[in-house]
Amino acid sequence: MTLAITLHVLAAVVWVGGMFFAYMALRPAAAAVLEPPLRLTLWSKVFSLFFPWVWVSIFALFGSGYWMVIYIFGGFAQVGTYVHIMHGLAIIMLLVFLHVYYAPYKRLKQFVADKNFPEAGKKLAQIRVLIAINLCLGLLILIIVNVGQRLF
Ligand code: HEM
């Protein structure tokens, strides 16, 4: 349990914390000081370095999560409501990330490589909205799990 929960929390910190930094600090800073060609190239590079860590986090979160549910708690029938909510929200986050990765991010990379910055800007705008959604869901999970562990 100790290893699984440690892995679980580290993965949550990497994914949710990474989104918080990107959205709350890097995004406004890049928008304030960089012209579109440089800004879009920066984001394409940032995502290419951050998204592999998101994949690792996803495997660690789901792997350790299911492992705890099955081997520690004895199945989904035995876990608290907050674990069901965490599970449901995590699946939504996964689907949102899969969409970002295989749709707008893939095109952002291509448009940046082609130096088509107006189109790349549209893809970045889509990614920004989707990452805002996932950031809210991630923070919500952290609130629900902490409240849930104490109250229900
Ligand atoms: C983005 C996705 C997720 C985040 C941010 C997240 C976050 C957390 C956090 C912060 C904890 C509390 C750790 C502690 O007690 O110190 C936790 C516990 C747990 N999570 Fe997740 N989790 C996610 C996905 C999942 C998934 C997919 C499952 C699979 C069902 C899962 C199952 C569990 C279980 C079983 C516990 C232990 C609950 C307990 O000890 O009462 N989590 N999670």
Coordinates of all heavy atoms in Angstrom, one line a residue, residues 44-116:
S44 N 4.9 24.2 -28.4 CA 5.1 22.9 -29.0 C 6.2 22.1 -28.3 O 6.1 20.9 -28.1 CB 5.4 23.2 -30.5 OG 5.5 22.0 -31.2
K45 N 7.3 22.8 -28.0 CA 8.4 22.2 -27.4 C 8.1 21.8 -25.9 O 8.4 20.7 -25.4 CB 9.6 23.1 -27.4 CG 10.9 22.5 -26.9 CD 11.4 21.5 -27.9 CE 12.6 20.8 -27.3 NZ 12.9 19.5 -28.0
V46 N 7.4 22.7 -25.2 CA 7.0 22.5 -23.8 C 6.1 21.2 -23.8 O 6.4 20.3 -22.9 CB 6.3 23.7 -23.2 CG1 5.6 23.3 -21.9 CG2 7.2 24.8 -23.0
F47 N 5.1 21.1 -24.6 CA 4.2 19.9 -24.6 C 5.0 18.7 -25.0 O 4.8 17.6 -24.4 CB 3.1 20.1 -25.6 CG 2.1 21.2 -25.2 CD1 1.5 22.0 -26.2 CD2 1.8 21.4 -23.9 CE1 0.6 23.0 -25.8 CE2 0.9 22.4 -23.5 CZ 0.3 23.2 -24.5
S48 N 6.0 18.8 -25.9 CA 6.7 17.6 -26.3 C 7.6 17.1 -25.1 O 7.9 15.9 -25.1 CB 7.5 17.8 -27.5 OG 8.7 18.5 -27.2
L49 N 7.9 18.0 -24.2 CA 8.7 17.5 -23.0 C 7.7 17.1 -21.8 O 8.1 16.2 -21.1 CB 9.6 18.7 -22.5 CG 10.7 19.0 -23.5 CD1 11.4 20.3 -23.1 CD2 11.7 17.8 -23.6
F50 N 6.6 17.8 -21.7 CA 5.7 17.5 -20.6 C 4.8 16.3 -20.8 O 4.6 15.5 -19.9 CB 4.8 18.8 -20.3 CG 3.8 18.6 -19.2 CD1 4.2 18.2 -17.9 CD2 2.5 18.9 -19.4 CE1 3.3 18.0 -16.9 CE2 1.6 18.7 -18.3 CZ 2.0 18.3 -17.1
F51 N 4.3 16.1 -22.1 CA 3.3 15.0 -22.3 C 3.9 13.6 -22.0 O 3.1 12.8 -21.5 CB 2.7 15.2 -23.7 CG 1.7 16.3 -23.8 CD1 1.2 16.7 -25.0 CD2 1.2 17.0 -22.7 CE1 0.2 17.7 -25.1 CE2 0.3 18.0 -22.8 CZ -0.2 18.4 -24.0
P52 N 5.1 13.3 -22.3 CA 5.6 12.0 -21.9 C 5.5 11.8 -20.4 O 5.2 10.7 -20.0 CB 7.1 12.0 -22.3 CG 7.2 13.0 -23.5 CD 6.1 14.1 -23.1
W53 N 5.7 12.8 -19.6 CA 5.5 12.7 -18.2 C 4.0 12.5 -17.8 O 3.7 11.8 -16.8 CB 6.0 13.9 -17.4 CG 7.5 13.9 -17.5 CD1 8.3 14.7 -18.2 CD2 8.4 13.0 -16.7 NE1 9.7 14.4 -18.0 CE2 9.7 13.4 -17.1 CE3 8.2 12.0 -15.8 CZ2 10.8 12.7 -16.6 CZ3 9.3 11.3 -15.3 CH2 10.6 11.7 -15.7
V54 N 3.1 13.1 -18.6 CA 1.7 12.9 -18.4 C 1.4 11.4 -18.7 O 0.6 10.8 -17.9 CB 0.8 13.8 -19.3 CG1 -0.7 13.5 -19.1 CG2 1.1 15.3 -18.9
W55 N 1.9 10.8 -19.7 CA 1.7 9.4 -20.0 C 2.2 8.5 -18.8 O 1.4 7.6 -18.4 CB 2.4 9.0 -21.3 CG 1.7 9.4 -22.6 CD1 2.2 10.3 -23.5 CD2 0.5 8.9 -23.1 NE1 1.3 10.4 -24.5 CE2 0.3 9.5 -24.3 CE3 -0.4 7.9 -22.6 CZ2 -0.9 9.3 -25.1 CZ3 -1.5 7.7 -23.4 CH2 -1.8 8.3 -24.6
V56 N 3.4 8.8 -18.3 CA 3.9 8.1 -17.2 C 3.0 8.2 -16.0 O 2.6 7.2 -15.3 CB 5.3 8.5 -16.8 CG1 5.8 7.9 -15.6 CG2 6.3 8.3 -18.0
S57 N 2.5 9.4 -15.8 CA 1.6 9.7 -14.6 C 0.3 8.9 -14.8 O -0.2 8.4 -13.8 CB 1.3 11.2 -14.5 OG 2.5 11.9 -14.3
I58 N -0.2 8.9 -16.0 CA -1.5 8.2 -16.2 C -1.3 6.7 -15.9 O -2.1 6.1 -15.2 CB -2.0 8.4 -17.7 CG1 -2.5 9.9 -17.8 CG2 -3.0 7.4 -18.1 CD1 -2.8 10.3 -19.2
F59 N -0.3 6.1 -16.4 CA -0.1 4.7 -16.2 C 0.1 4.5 -14.7 O -0.4 3.5 -14.1 CB 1.2 4.1 -17.0 CG 0.8 3.9 -18.4 CD1 1.2 4.7 -19.4 CD2 0.0 2.7 -18.7 CE1 0.9 4.4 -20.8 CE2 -0.3 2.5 -20.0 CZ 0.1 3.3 -21.1
A60 N 0.9 5.3 -14.0 CA 1.1 5.2 -12.6 C -0.2 5.4 -11.8 O -0.5 4.6 -10.9 CB 2.2 6.2 -12.1
L61 N -1.0 6.4 -12.1 CA -2.2 6.7 -11.4 C -3.2 5.5 -11.5 O -3.8 5.0 -10.5 CB -2.9 7.9 -11.9 CG -2.4 9.2 -11.3 CD1 -2.9 10.4 -12.1 CD2 -2.8 9.4 -9.9
F62 N -3.4 5.1 -12.8 CA -4.4 4.0 -13.0 C -3.9 2.7 -12.5 O -4.6 1.9 -11.9 CB -4.8 4.0 -14.5 CG -5.9 5.0 -14.9 CD1 -5.5 6.3 -15.1 CD2 -7.2 4.7 -14.9 CE1 -6.4 7.3 -15.4 CE2 -8.2 5.7 -15.2 CZ -7.8 7.0 -15.5
G63 N -2.6 2.4 -12.7 CA -2.0 1.2 -12.3 C -2.1 1.0 -10.8 O -2.6 0.1 -10.2
S64 N -1.6 2.1 -10.1 CA -1.6 2.0 -8.6 C -3.0 2.1 -8.0 O -3.3 1.5 -7.0 CB -0.7 3.1 -8.0 OG -1.2 4.4 -8.5
G65 N -3.9 2.9 -8.7 CA -5.3 3.0 -8.3 C -6.0 1.7 -8.3 O -6.6 1.3 -7.3
Y66 N -6.0 1.1 -9.5 CA -6.7 -0.2 -9.6 C -6.0 -1.3 -8.7 O -6.7 -2.1 -8.1 CB -6.6 -0.7 -11.0 CG -7.6 0.1 -12.0 CD1 -7.1 0.6 -13.2 CD2 -8.9 0.3 -11.6 CE1 -8.0 1.3 -14.0 CE2 -9.7 1.0 -12.4 CZ -9.3 1.6 -13.6 OH -10.1 2.3 -14.4
W67 N -4.7 -1.2 -8.5 CA -4.0 -2.2 -7.7 C -4.5 -2.0 -6.2 O -4.8 -3.0 -5.6 CB -2.5 -1.9 -7.7 CG -1.7 -3.0 -7.0 CD1 -1.2 -4.2 -7.6 CD2 -1.3 -3.1 -5.7 NE1 -0.6 -4.9 -6.7 CE2 -0.6 -4.3 -5.5 CE3 -1.5 -2.2 -4.6 CZ2 -0.1 -4.6 -4.2 CZ3 -1.0 -2.6 -3.3 CH2 -0.3 -3.8 -3.2
M68 N -4.7 -0.8 -5.8 CA -5.2 -0.5 -4.4 C -6.6 -1.0 -4.2 O -7.0 -1.7 -3.2 CB -5.0 0.9 -4.0 CG -3.6 1.4 -3.7 SD -3.6 3.1 -3.1 CE -3.9 4.1 -4.5
V69 N -7.4 -0.7 -5.2 CA -8.8 -1.1 -5.2 C -9.0 -2.6 -5.1 O -9.7 -3.1 -4.2 CB -9.6 -0.5 -6.4 CG1 -11.0 -1.2 -6.5 CG2 -9.7 1.0 -6.3
I70 N -8.2 -3.3 -5.9 CA -8.3 -4.7 -6.0 C -7.7 -5.5 -4.8 O -8.3 -6.3 -4.1 CB -7.8 -5.3 -7.4 CG1 -8.7 -4.7 -8.5 CG2 -7.7 -6.8 -7.4 CD1 -8.1 -4.8 -9.9
Y71 N -6.4 -5.1 -4.6 CA -5.6 -5.9 -3.6 C -5.7 -5.4 -2.2 O -5.4 -6.1 -1.2 CB -4.1 -6.0 -4.1 CG -4.0 -6.8 -5.4 CD1 -3.7 -6.2 -6.5 CD2 -4.3 -8.2 -5.4 CE1 -3.6 -6.9 -7.7 CE2 -4.2 -8.9 -6.6 CZ -3.9 -8.3 -7.7 OH -3.8 -9.0 -8.9
I72 N -6.0 -4.1 -2.0 CA -6.0 -3.6 -0.6 C -7.5 -3.5 -0.2 O -7.8 -4.0 0.9 CB -5.4 -2.1 -0.6 CG1 -4.0 -2.1 -1.1 CG2 -5.5 -1.6 0.9 CD1 -2.9 -2.7 -0.3
F73 N -8.4 -3.0 -1.0 CA -9.7 -2.8 -0.5 C -10.6 -3.9 -0.9 O -11.7 -4.1 -0.3 CB -10.3 -1.5 -1.2 CG -9.6 -0.2 -0.6 CD1 -8.6 0.3 -1.3 CD2 -10.0 0.4 0.6 CE1 -7.9 1.5 -0.9 CE2 -9.4 1.5 1.0 CZ -8.3 2.0 0.3
G74 N -10.2 -4.8 -1.8 CA -11.0 -6.0 -2.1 C -12.1 -5.7 -3.2 O -13.2 -6.4 -3.1
G75 N -11.9 -4.7 -4.0 CA -12.9 -4.5 -5.1 C -13.6 -3.2 -5.0 O -13.6 -2.6 -3.9
F76 N -14.3 -2.8 -6.1 CA -15.0 -1.5 -6.1 C -16.2 -1.4 -5.1 O -16.6 -0.4 -4.6 CB -15.4 -1.1 -7.5 CG -14.3 -0.4 -8.3 CD1 -13.6 -1.0 -9.2 CD2 -14.1 1.0 -8.0 CE1 -12.6 -0.4 -9.9 CE2 -13.1 1.6 -8.7 CZ -12.3 1.0 -9.7
A77 N -16.7 -2.6 -4.8 CA -17.9 -2.6 -3.9 C -17.5 -2.2 -2.5 O -18.3 -1.8 -1.7 CB -18.5 -4.0 -3.9
Q78 N -16.2 -2.3 -2.2 CA -15.7 -2.0 -0.8 C -15.2 -0.6 -0.6 O -14.9 -0.2 0.5 CB -14.6 -3.0 -0.4 CG -14.8 -4.5 -0.8 CD -16.0 -5.1 0.0 OE1 -16.2 -4.7 1.2 NE2 -16.8 -5.9 -0.7
V79 N -15.0 0.2 -1.6 CA -14.3 1.5 -1.5 C -15.4 2.6 -1.2 O -16.6 2.4 -1.5 CB -13.5 1.8 -2.7 CG1 -12.4 0.8 -2.9 CG2 -14.4 2.0 -4.0
G80 N -14.8 3.7 -0.6 CA -15.7 4.8 -0.3 C -16.2 5.5 -1.6 O -15.6 5.4 -2.7
T81 N -17.3 6.3 -1.4 CA -17.8 7.1 -2.6 C -16.8 7.9 -3.2 O -16.8 8.1 -4.5 CB -19.0 8.0 -2.1 OG1 -19.8 7.2 -1.2 CG2 -19.8 8.5 -3.2
Y82 N -15.9 8.5 -2.4 CA -14.9 9.4 -3.0 C -14.0 8.7 -4.0 O -13.5 9.3 -4.9 CB -14.1 10.2 -1.9 CG -13.3 9.3 -1.0 CD1 -11.9 9.0 -1.3 CD2 -13.8 8.7 0.1 CE1 -11.2 8.2 -0.6 CE2 -13.0 7.9 0.9 CZ -11.7 7.6 0.6 OH -11.0 6.8 1.4
V83 N -13.7 7.4 -3.8 CA -12.9 6.7 -4.7 C -13.6 6.5 -6.1 O -13.0 6.6 -7.1 CB -12.4 5.3 -4.1 CG1 -11.6 4.5 -5.2 CG2 -11.5 5.5 -2.9
H84 N -14.9 6.3 -6.0 CA -15.7 6.1 -7.2 C -15.7 7.5 -8.0 O -15.6 7.5 -9.2 CB -17.2 5.8 -6.9 CG -17.3 4.4 -6.4 ND1 -17.2 3.3 -7.2 CD2 -17.6 3.9 -5.1 CE1 -17.3 2.2 -6.5 NE2 -17.6 2.5 -5.2
I85 N -15.9 8.6 -7.2 CA -15.8 9.9 -7.9 C -14.5 10.1 -8.5 O -14.3 10.6 -9.6 CB -16.2 11.0 -6.8 CG1 -17.6 10.8 -6.3 CG2 -16.1 12.4 -7.5 CD1 -18.0 11.7 -5.2
M86 N -13.4 9.8 -7.7 CA -12.0 10.0 -8.2 C -11.8 9.2 -9.5 O -11.3 9.7 -10.5 CB -11.0 9.5 -7.2 CG -9.6 9.4 -7.6 SD -8.4 9.4 -6.2 CE -9.2 8.2 -5.1
H87 N -12.3 7.9 -9.5 CA -12.2 7.1 -10.6 C -12.9 7.7 -11.9 O -12.3 7.8 -12.9 CB -12.8 5.7 -10.3 CG -12.7 4.7 -11.3 ND1 -13.7 3.7 -11.5 CD2 -11.7 4.4 -12.2 CE1 -13.3 2.9 -12.5 NE2 -12.1 3.3 -12.9
G88 N -14.2 8.1 -11.7 CA -15.0 8.7 -12.8 C -14.3 9.9 -13.3 O -14.2 10.1 -14.5
L89 N -13.9 10.8 -12.4 CA -13.3 12.1 -12.9 C -11.9 11.8 -13.6 O -11.6 12.4 -14.6 CB -13.1 13.1 -11.7 CG -14.4 13.6 -11.1 CD1 -14.0 14.6 -9.9 CD2 -15.2 14.4 -12.1
A90 N -11.2 10.8 -13.1 CA -9.9 10.4 -13.7 C -10.1 9.9 -15.1 O -9.3 10.2 -16.0 CB -9.2 9.4 -12.8
I91 N -11.2 9.2 -15.3 CA -11.5 8.7 -16.7 C -11.8 9.8 -17.6 O -11.3 9.9 -18.8 CB -12.6 7.6 -16.7 CG1 -12.1 6.3 -16.0 CG2 -13.1 7.3 -18.1 CD1 -13.2 5.3 -15.7
I92 N -12.5 10.8 -17.1 CA -12.8 12.0 -18.0 C -11.5 12.7 -18.3 O -11.3 13.1 -19.4 CB -13.8 13.0 -17.3 CG1 -15.1 12.3 -17.0 CG2 -14.0 14.2 -18.1 CD1 -16.1 13.1 -16.2
M93 N -10.6 12.9 -17.3 CA -9.3 13.5 -17.5 C -8.5 12.8 -18.6 O -7.9 13.3 -19.4 CB -8.5 13.6 -16.2 CG -9.0 14.7 -15.2 SD -8.0 14.7 -13.7 CE -6.5 15.3 -14.3
L94 N -8.6 11.4 -18.5 CA -7.8 10.6 -19.4 C -8.4 10.8 -20.8 O -7.6 11.0 -21.8 CB -8.0 9.1 -19.0 CG -7.5 8.1 -20.1 CD1 -5.9 8.2 -20.2 CD2 -7.8 6.7 -19.6
L95 N -9.7 10.9 -21.0 CA -10.3 11.1 -22.3 C -9.9 12.4 -22.9 O -9.6 12.6 -24.1 CB -11.8 10.9 -22.3 CG -12.3 9.4 -21.9 CD1 -13.8 9.4 -21.8 CD2 -11.8 8.4 -23.0
V96 N -10.0 13.5 -22.0 CA -9.6 14.8 -22.4 C -8.2 14.8 -22.9 O -7.8 15.4 -24.0 CB -9.9 15.8 -21.3 CG1 -9.3 17.2 -21.7 CG2 -11.4 16.0 -21.0
F97 N -7.3 14.2 -22.1 CA -5.9 14.2 -22.5 C -5.7 13.5 -23.8 O -4.9 13.9 -24.7 CB -5.0 13.6 -21.4 CG -3.6 13.5 -21.8 CD1 -2.8 14.6 -21.9 CD2 -3.0 12.2 -22.2 CE1 -1.4 14.5 -22.4 CE2 -1.7 12.1 -22.6 CZ -0.9 13.3 -22.7
L98 N -6.3 12.3 -24.0 CA -6.2 11.6 -25.2 C -6.6 12.4 -26.4 O -5.9 12.4 -27.5 CB -7.0 10.3 -25.2 CG -6.5 9.2 -24.3 CD1 -7.5 8.0 -24.2 CD2 -5.1 8.7 -24.7
H99 N -7.7 13.2 -26.2 CA -8.1 14.0 -27.3 C -7.1 15.1 -27.6 O -6.7 15.3 -28.7 CB -9.5 14.7 -27.0 CG -9.9 15.7 -28.0 ND1 -10.3 15.3 -29.2 CD2 -10.0 17.0 -28.0 CE1 -10.6 16.3 -30.0 NE2 -10.4 17.4 -29.2
V100 N -6.6 15.8 -26.5 CA -5.6 16.8 -26.7 C -4.4 16.2 -27.5 O -3.9 16.8 -28.4 CB -5.1 17.4 -25.3 CG1 -3.8 18.2 -25.5 CG2 -6.2 18.2 -24.7
Y101 N -3.9 15.1 -27.0 CA -2.7 14.5 -27.6 C -2.9 14.1 -29.1 O -2.0 14.4 -29.9 CB -2.3 13.2 -26.8 CG -0.9 12.8 -27.1 CD1 0.2 13.3 -26.4 CD2 -0.7 11.8 -28.0 CE1 1.5 12.9 -26.7 CE2 0.6 11.4 -28.3 CZ 1.7 12.0 -27.6 OH 3.0 11.6 -27.9
Y102 N -4.0 13.5 -29.4 CA -4.1 12.9 -30.7 C -4.8 13.9 -31.7 O -4.8 13.7 -32.9 CB -4.9 11.6 -30.7 CG -4.0 10.5 -30.1 CD1 -4.3 10.0 -28.9 CD2 -2.9 10.1 -30.8 CE1 -3.4 9.0 -28.3 CE2 -2.1 9.1 -30.3 CZ -2.3 8.6 -29.1 OH -1.5 7.6 -28.5
A103 N -5.4 15.0 -31.2 CA -6.0 15.9 -32.1 C -5.3 17.3 -32.1 O -4.4 17.5 -32.9 CB -7.5 16.1 -31.9
P104 N -5.6 18.3 -31.3 CA -5.0 19.6 -31.4 C -3.5 19.6 -31.3 O -2.8 20.3 -32.0 CB -5.7 20.4 -30.4 CG -6.3 19.5 -29.4 CD -6.6 18.3 -30.2
Y105 N -2.9 18.8 -30.4 CA -1.4 18.8 -30.2 C -0.7 18.3 -31.4 O 0.3 18.9 -31.8 CB -1.1 18.0 -28.9 CG 0.4 17.7 -28.8 CD1 1.3 18.7 -28.8 CD2 0.9 16.4 -28.8 CE1 2.7 18.5 -28.7 CE2 2.2 16.1 -28.7 CZ 3.1 17.2 -28.7 OH 4.5 16.9 -28.6
K106 N -1.2 17.2 -32.0 CA -0.6 16.7 -33.2 C -0.6 17.7 -34.3 O 0.4 17.9 -35.0 CB -1.4 15.4 -33.6 CG -0.7 14.4 -34.3 CD -1.5 13.1 -34.6 CE -1.0 12.4 -35.8 NZ -2.0 11.5 -36.3
R107 N -1.7 18.4 -34.4 CA -1.8 19.5 -35.5 C -1.0 20.7 -35.1 O -0.4 21.3 -36.0 CB -3.3 19.9 -35.7 CG -4.0 18.7 -36.2 CD -5.4 19.0 -36.8 NE -6.0 17.7 -37.0 CZ -7.0 17.1 -36.3 NH1 -7.6 17.8 -35.3 NH2 -7.5 15.9 -36.6
L108 N -0.9 21.0 -33.8 CA -0.1 22.2 -33.4 C 1.3 21.9 -33.9 O 2.0 22.8 -34.5 CB -0.2 22.3 -31.9 CG 0.8 23.3 -31.3 CD1 0.4 24.8 -31.6 CD2 1.0 23.2 -29.8
K109 N 1.8 20.7 -33.6 CA 3.2 20.4 -34.0 C 3.4 20.5 -35.5 O 4.4 21.1 -35.9 CB 3.5 18.9 -33.6 CG 4.1 18.8 -32.2 CD 4.7 17.4 -32.0 CE 3.8 16.3 -32.3 NZ 4.3 14.9 -31.9
Q110 N 2.5 20.0 -36.3 CA 2.6 20.1 -37.7 C 2.6 21.5 -38.2 O 3.4 21.9 -39.0 CB 1.4 19.2 -38.3 CG 1.6 19.0 -39.8 CD 3.0 18.3 -40.1 OE1 3.4 17.3 -39.5 NE2 3.8 19.0 -41.0
F111 N 1.6 22.3 -37.7 CA 1.5 23.7 -38.1 C 2.7 24.5 -37.7 O 3.2 25.4 -38.5 CB 0.2 24.4 -37.5 CG -1.1 23.9 -38.2 CD1 -2.2 23.6 -37.4 CD2 -1.2 23.9 -39.6 CE1 -3.4 23.2 -38.0 CE2 -2.3 23.4 -40.2 CZ -3.4 23.1 -39.4
V112 N 3.3 24.2 -36.6 CA 4.5 25.0 -36.2 C 5.7 24.6 -37.1 O 6.4 25.4 -37.6 CB 4.9 24.7 -34.7 CG1 6.3 25.2 -34.3 CG2 3.9 25.4 -33.8
A113 N 5.8 23.3 -37.4 CA 6.8 22.8 -38.3 C 6.7 23.5 -39.7 O 7.7 23.8 -40.3 CB 6.8 21.3 -38.4
D114 N 5.4 23.7 -40.1 CA 5.1 24.3 -41.4 C 5.2 25.8 -41.4 O 4.9 26.5 -42.4 CB 3.7 23.9 -41.9 CG 3.6 22.4 -42.2 OD1 4.7 21.7 -42.3 OD2 2.5 21.9 -42.3
K115 N 5.4 26.3 -40.2 CA 5.4 27.8 -39.9 C 4.1 28.4 -40.3 O 4.0 29.6 -40.7 CB 6.5 28.5 -40.7 CG 7.9 28.0 -40.3 CD 9.0 29.0 -40.5 CE 10.4 28.5 -40.1 NZ 10.5 27.8 -38.9
N116 N 3.0 27.7 -40.1 CA 1.6 28.2 -40.3 C 1.1 28.6 -38.9 O 0.4 27.9 -38.2 CB 0.7 27.1 -40.9 CG -0.7 27.6 -41.2 OD1 -1.0 28.7 -40.7 ND2 -1.4 26.8 -41.9

